[in-house]
Amino acid sequence: MKGIHYYRADACNMVEIKTCANDVHAYKDHLHQELSIGYIEKGTTVLHVNGKSYDISAGDAIIIYPYVSHRCQPLDITEWQFTMIYVDNAFCKGIFDDLDTKHSIGIKKLGEYEFNQIKHLVDTLKSDVSGFDKEVELISTLIHLFDTCDVAIKLESSRKIHAVKTYIKEHFLQPLNLKDMEEHFSMNKFALIRNFKDKFNTTPNAYQLQLKINYGKYLLKSSSNIVDIALRSGFYDQAHFTKEFKKAYGITPLQYHKSLKF
């Protein structure tokens, strides 16, 4: 089915499933606060992350860690289909805490076995089995994926620049200014912006915008009041929120809210 569609199951509400066929799902670099797990069913895309590009094709699967800025560019929109699973970050915390240092990465490309395992997980999450069965299947899949990933695409960052990123994440709904950040991190604004962009392939203000858009997406799961959500997400009006949301996710906020199936 052509277009972008979302699915959420009441019995496993920490998970959201997105399918996209023959449509551009994101026009710009974006991020998700959730852990993202997906597989390509048809076509090839160029995955842009941290200033580098990677070819991801049908039969490939990937994991994208929370808050990693990225963009996918399908080579042929008429031959393009993928499915993504978004798993609530808090739900994954136990797994993250249990990982050793070799897993300190941003994106992982997975093998054929993992492709089939993720596809089976999607079928299970959409089925009529109990919430307990769905949650156990999800946890079992996550444990296996983290244990067997065969390719790591690392995102290295200095301690100070990583601290800048954390600072923006913790204050993204507040007005930020470079003078305060210069004083807070003892770094002039030119070095701050240059190093931030070198490490994360985005500017501090663009990263803040991505966080605001993603927060608005989270609020849309429980409300269709676009004006209220736009203001709560730090946008000055509904039009600005709608414009930026569509750039990031390929559909309008209202279309996203209506597409959720419970």
Side-chain angles (χ1 to χ4, degrees):
M1 182 166 52
K2 181 179 178 180
I4 299 170
H5 305 276
Y6 288 85
Y7 175 89
R8 291 178 70 217
D10 251 353
C12 198
N13 60 14
M14 75 288 291
V15 177
E16 179 177 284
I17 300 171
K18 172 184 179 180
T19 60
C20 178
N22 302 343
D23 204 336
V24 178
H25 60 290
Y27 296 89
K28 59 185 291 186
D29 290 298
H30 64 286
L31 52 80
H32 306 279
Q33 68 181 15
E34 308 94 342
L35 176 72
S36 305
I37 306 169
Y39 57 93
I40 310 300
E41 299 165 270
K42 184 170 64 173
T44 298
T45 187
V46 179
L47 175 63
H48 302 278
V49 58
N50 199 33
K52 297 182 180 180
S53 300
Y54 305 89
D55 292 332
I56 310 291
S57 301
D60 288 335
I62 57 171
I63 292 179
I64 303 176
Y65 273 45
Y67 302 106
V68 174
S69 181
H70 61 281
R71 175 169 51 91
C72 292
Q73 183 178 344
L75 300 187
D76 182 356
I77 198 64
T78 64
E79 290 291 325
W80 173 237
Q81 184 172 331
F82 73 92
T83 295
M84 294 295 295
I85 308 170
Y86 302 110
V87 186
D88 184 78
N89 198 10
F91 179 79
C92 299
K93 187 177 185 303
I95 294 176
F96 291 152
D97 290 345
D98 193 45
L99 297 177
D100 56 36
T101 55
K102 73 179 182 180
H103 291 95
S104 59
I105 57 87
I107 290 182
K108 294 176 179 176
K109 182 178 176 183
L110 310 173
E112 180 181 357
Y113 179 83
E114 287 72 31
F115 174 96
N116 292 323
Q117 190 176 35
I118 297 168
K119 195 171 186 303
H120 174 72
L121 173 61
V122 170
D123 292 339
T124 300
L125 292 172
K126 288 185 174 183
S127 72
D128 294 328
V129 302
S130 70
F132 175 76
D133 288 338
K134 291 180 179 181
E135 190 167 350
V136 170
E137 182 70 22
L138 173 62
I139 292 172
S140 298
T141 301
L142 290 174
I143 290 172
H144 174 80
L145 293 179
F146 283 116
D147 284 344
T148 63
C149 295
D150 57 2
V151 179
I153 303 172
K154 295 188 177 181
L155 292 180
E156 306 291 349
S157 62
S158 71
R159 184 171 298 179
K160 182 172 285 190
I161 290 301
H162 184 76
V164 172
K165 188 178 183 184
T166 300
Y167 178 88
I168 297 172
K169 178 180 172 183
E170 292 174 348
H171 300 86
F172 73 94
L173 289 177
Q174 305 169 16
L176 299 178
N177 68 75
L178 287 173
K179 183 178 180 181
D180 289 344
M181 294 176 72
E182 282 183 308
E183 295 175 356
H184 187 83
F185 294 103
S186 300
M187 180 188 298
N188 74 66
K189 58 187 177 184
F190 302 101
L192 190 152
I193 293 174
R194 183 181 66 251
N195 285 295
F196 193 94
K197 190 170 184 179
D198 285 346
K199 298 300 181 185
F200 302 116
N201 196 37
T202 189
T203 59
N205 61 317
Y207 178 64
Q208 181 189 21
L209 176 61
Q210 292 177 46
L211 292 172
K212 289 162 63 175
I213 296 169
N214 199 68
Y215 182 63
K217 179 173 177 280
Y218 167 77
L219 295 177
L220 284 164
K221 295 177 181 179
S222 56
S223 173
S224 61
N225 189 334
I226 311 300
V227 174
D228 177 63
I229 289 174
L231 297 177
R232 289 171 63 189
S233 302
F235 293 90
Y236 50 80
D237 61 21
Q238 176 183 348
H240 185 207
F241 174 55
T242 298
K243 177 183 177 181
E244 296 299 337
F245 189 96
K246 189 169 183 180
K247 285 181 183 178
Y249 299 116
I251 56 178
T252 67
L254 187 59
Q255 287 173 327
Y256 169 75
H257 177 81
K258 289 181 177 180
S259 73
L260 293 175
K261 299 176 182 178
F262 295 89

